[in-house]
């Protein structure tokens, strides 16, 4: 008789412990994230300094394509350019620009997990054209507006708002990482 009681208590305990563990995890989860909230300049500068230290300690090819004094310069420029609070998008763009100077295709900047979870609930302006990009050429593949009669597939674009293709692409290439000095990957990302 005692054996059956022991087994029943053991079985109940096996079911009860995971239940308590799951309840404890659920109640400890905090939802204090505000989408694309601004962070102070001090916090952001500290993050860039920490990122540089982590890269210096762990990145195997940090100085392969860009010498140390140049990497130091780019990081210092980024830190000094943070004069006010920034949103996650603004901060990511600044950090992406400095990370692209490393010229390592495996080193990139991503949004936080909380940002990614929330981004579908928010709309940002989107460029209305889809391009095929190579060298300094932009050719329209499609338009976000199906009834667009001006920008049909195959239209060659030479400038946007008075900015040449080369100027636009150089600006966008500045925040895309790639291995070495190759632009093939950057062209693919923008296409």
């Amino acid at each position: 008789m005692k054996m059956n009681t022991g087994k029943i208590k053991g079985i109940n305990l096996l079911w009860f412990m995971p239940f308590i563990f799951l309840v404890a995890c659920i109640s400890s989860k905090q939802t204090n994230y505000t989408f694309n909230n601004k962070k102070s300049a001090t916090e952001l500068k500290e993050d860039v300094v920490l990122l540089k230290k982590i890269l210096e300690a762990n990145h195997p090819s940090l100085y392969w394509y860009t010498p140390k004094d140049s990497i130091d310069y780019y990081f210092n420029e980024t830190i000094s350019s943070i004069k006010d609070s920034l949103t996650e998008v603004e901060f990511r763009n600044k950090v992406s620009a400095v990370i692209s100077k490393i010229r390592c295709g495996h080193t990139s900047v991503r949004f936080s997990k909380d940002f990614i979870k929330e981004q579908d609930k928010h709309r940002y302006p989107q460029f209305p054209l889809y391009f095929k990009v190579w060298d300094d050429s932009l050719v329209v593949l499609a338009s976000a507006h199906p009834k667009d009669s001006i920008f049909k597939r195959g239209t060659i674009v030479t400038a946007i708002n008075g900015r040449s293709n080369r100027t636009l692409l150089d600006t966008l290439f500045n925040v895309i990482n790639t291995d070495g000095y190759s632009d093939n990957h950057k062209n693919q990302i923008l296409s």
Side-chain angles (χ1 to χ4, degrees):
M1 268 324 227
K2 286 185 180 180
M3 272 179 98
N4 287 342
T5 306
K7 284 185 180 177
I8 292 172
K9 284 184 184 177
I11 290 172
N12 287 338
L13 187 60
L14 286 174
W15 286 104
F16 185 68
M17 290 307 288
F19 175 76
I20 292 297
F21 178 74
L22 291 173
V23 170
C25 290
I26 291 170
S27 65
S28 68
K29 179 147 174 77
Q30 295 182 5
T31 56
N32 294 336
Y33 181 76
T34 302
F35 183 75
N36 210 22
N37 195 23
K38 287 192 172 192
K39 290 196 175 185
S40 73
T42 305
E43 277 182 291
L44 299 174
K45 287 178 181 184
E46 289 172 358
D47 284 351
V48 174
V49 169
L50 178 62
L51 173 63
K52 184 174 186 281
K53 287 179 184 177
I54 291 169
L55 288 170
E56 288 173 336
N58 298 300
H59 198 289
S61 59
L62 185 59
Y63 307 117
W64 280 8
Y65 295 100
T66 309
K68 182 180 180 345
D69 61 343
S70 295
I71 294 289
D72 291 344
Y73 171 81
Y74 294 132
F75 269 96
N76 290 336
E77 282 293 307
T78 301
I79 291 166
S80 66
S81 74
I82 301 172
K83 300 187 184 315
D84 199 1
S85 59
L86 299 173
T87 65
E88 187 167 343
V89 171
E90 294 166 332
F91 183 61
R92 180 190 178 276
N93 288 340
K94 281 193 179 288
V95 174
S96 290
V98 73
I99 293 300
S100 74
K101 302 296 190 266
I102 297 170
R103 300 188 176 280
C104 174
H106 296 95
T107 307
S108 61
V109 181
R110 296 185 180 163
F111 289 111
S112 68
K113 290 179 183 178
D114 288 329
F115 183 95
I116 291 169
K117 285 180 193 173
E118 293 289 320
Q119 73 181 355
D120 288 341
K121 299 176 188 172
H122 305 273
R123 286 190 65 94
Y124 279 94
Q126 181 181 358
F127 194 74
L129 300 174
Y130 301 95
F131 292 115
K132 173 64 180 159
V133 177
W134 71 94
D135 294 329
D136 62 352
S137 299
L138 299 174
V139 177
V140 175
L141 291 178
S143 173
H145 306 291
K147 296 180 182 178
D148 190 341
S149 61
I150 298 171
F151 294 107
K152 294 187 178 285
R153 182 179 179 92
T155 301
I156 297 172
V157 176
T158 57
I160 298 174
N161 291 341
R163 292 184 178 179
S164 71
N165 291 349
R166 186 73 271 153
T167 301
L168 292 168
L169 292 174
D170 286 346
T171 302
L172 294 170
F173 280 9
N174 190 41
V175 295
I176 301 172
N177 63 314
T178 191
D179 285 328
Y181 293 93
S182 171
D183 286 339
N184 293 342
H185 177 68
K186 293 178 181 189
N187 287 326
Q188 289 297 325
I189 292 292
L190 292 178
S191 286

